[in-house]
Amino acid sequence: MTEPLRLRITEIFHSLQGESDTIGYPTVFVRLTGCPLRCGYCDTAYAFQGGEWMSLDDIHARVRQYRTRFVTVTGGEPLAQKNCLPLLQQLCDDGCHVSLETSGALDVSGVDPRVIKVVDLKTPGSGEVDRNLYANIDRLLPHDQVKFVICDRADFDWSVEMLNRYDLASRCEVLFSPSFGQQDAAELADWILQDQLPVRMQVQLHKYLWGNEPGH
Ligand code: SF4
């Protein structure tokens, strides 16, 4: 008998999507345990270790308890567990609107094309800029999103350079987000307008509603 596919899960919860192009929609979040990065601003360090093994069927059953078709698979770094890929596929097969939040450090080529990939490009201020896998840029689909979490003016300038170098805005939506508690949001908005950038600015809605509380 073959063993059921399993994943190590930190939490599954229902909240409002705080970022990306479905911001504000009630969404089920599946947070996978583990991450090979250590960004300075990380707000989910509690997902680095621990968690509970769950079969894909059990995860699926939990997701279906909620009356929303929006599902976000996040972490940690969800792609660090290989069974993330069949989970994404199963959720899509079930008719869910599935997004994947990933650090941009791991290969996204195996991700089901129905999934909306929200791919970070780690800025210098994150402390993990050397982990960016730039080959992922050619794997972006028009419905995907590239996200920059900006810690300061140097991060902003670097992000503009990446925007231009890879012509990111012609590939998919580009999100600029201030690092919470580090970069003033209004200042970032002014910089975007001054430079007339083709990007979408976002603040993390869930943090304004609930702060850094896990499970939101
Ligand atoms: S990639 Fe995400 S989960 Fe991993 S350390 Fe960075 S912010 Fe935290």
Side-chain angles (χ1 to χ4, degrees):
M1 203 173 104
T2 51
E3 288 286 309
L5 297 181
R6 297 191 309 165
L7 282 165
R8 194 170 263 284
I9 300 293
T10 293
E11 56 185 351
I12 298 175
F13 60 98
H14 183 230
S15 187
L16 296 185
Q17 175 57 263
E19 38 201 334
S20 83
D21 70 347
T22 58
I23 188 165
Y25 282 117
T27 299
V28 184
F29 292 82
V30 180
R31 189 182 305 287
L32 275 60
T33 308
C35 181
L37 279 69
R38 290 294 180 267
C39 305
Y41 51 67
C42 183
D43 54 5
T44 51
Y46 63 92
F48 289 165
Q49 287 156 349
E52 172 194 354
W53 285 108
M54 292 179 72
S55 71
L56 297 203
D57 287 345
D58 287 347
I59 296 167
H60 203 202
R62 280 283 304 279
V63 167
R64 291 184 66 148
Q65 287 176 3
Y66 301 101
R67 286 198 304 270
T68 174
R69 56 187 287 269
F70 293 101
V71 181
T72 295
V73 175
T74 186
E77 167 49 76
L79 293 177
Q81 298 189 58
K82 69 176 180 0
N83 286 339
C84 180
L85 297 179
L87 173 69
L88 293 167
Q89 190 177 4
Q90 192 173 329
L91 292 168
C92 289
D93 288 346
D94 198 35
C96 297
H97 180 285
V98 184
S99 62
L100 169 74
E101 295 181 340
T102 175
S103 65
L106 301 184
D107 183 2
V108 298
S109 58
V111 174
D112 190 300
R114 293 170 292 179
V115 171
I116 292 154
K117 301 185 289 290
V118 183
V119 181
D120 276 18
L121 268 188
K122 293 295 180 190
T123 58
S126 73
E128 292 285 25
V129 68
D130 293 338
R131 305 295 290 270
N132 286 323
L133 184 63
Y134 293 99
N136 276 336
I137 291 172
D138 284 333
R139 297 165 191 151
L140 292 168
L141 299 174
H143 68 194
D144 293 333
Q145 293 147 60
V146 174
K147 187 173 81 174
F148 294 86
V149 177
I150 292 169
C151 300
D152 53 26
R153 177 72 203 198
D155 271 5
F156 175 80
D157 292 339
W158 181 88
S159 303
V160 173
E161 193 190 325
M162 294 300 115
L163 184 71
N164 294 330
R165 182 184 302 174
Y166 294 102
D167 197 13
L168 292 175
S170 74
R171 297 172 187 262
C172 65
E173 190 157 80
V174 181
L175 307 175
F176 274 24
S177 182
S179 177
F180 191 78
Q182 257 185 304
Q183 170 59 51
D184 181 74
E187 187 177 47
L188 175 59
D190 286 338
W191 294 340
I192 290 170
L193 290 170
Q194 278 159 15
D195 286 6
Q196 301 192 37
L197 298 181
V199 304
R200 183 175 184 181
M201 175 164 155
Q202 295 208 320
V203 291
Q204 294 172 295
L205 174 66
H206 53 295
K207 295 209 176 154
Y208 285 86
L209 295 172
W210 297 295
N212 260 340
E213 221 176 90
H216 284 296

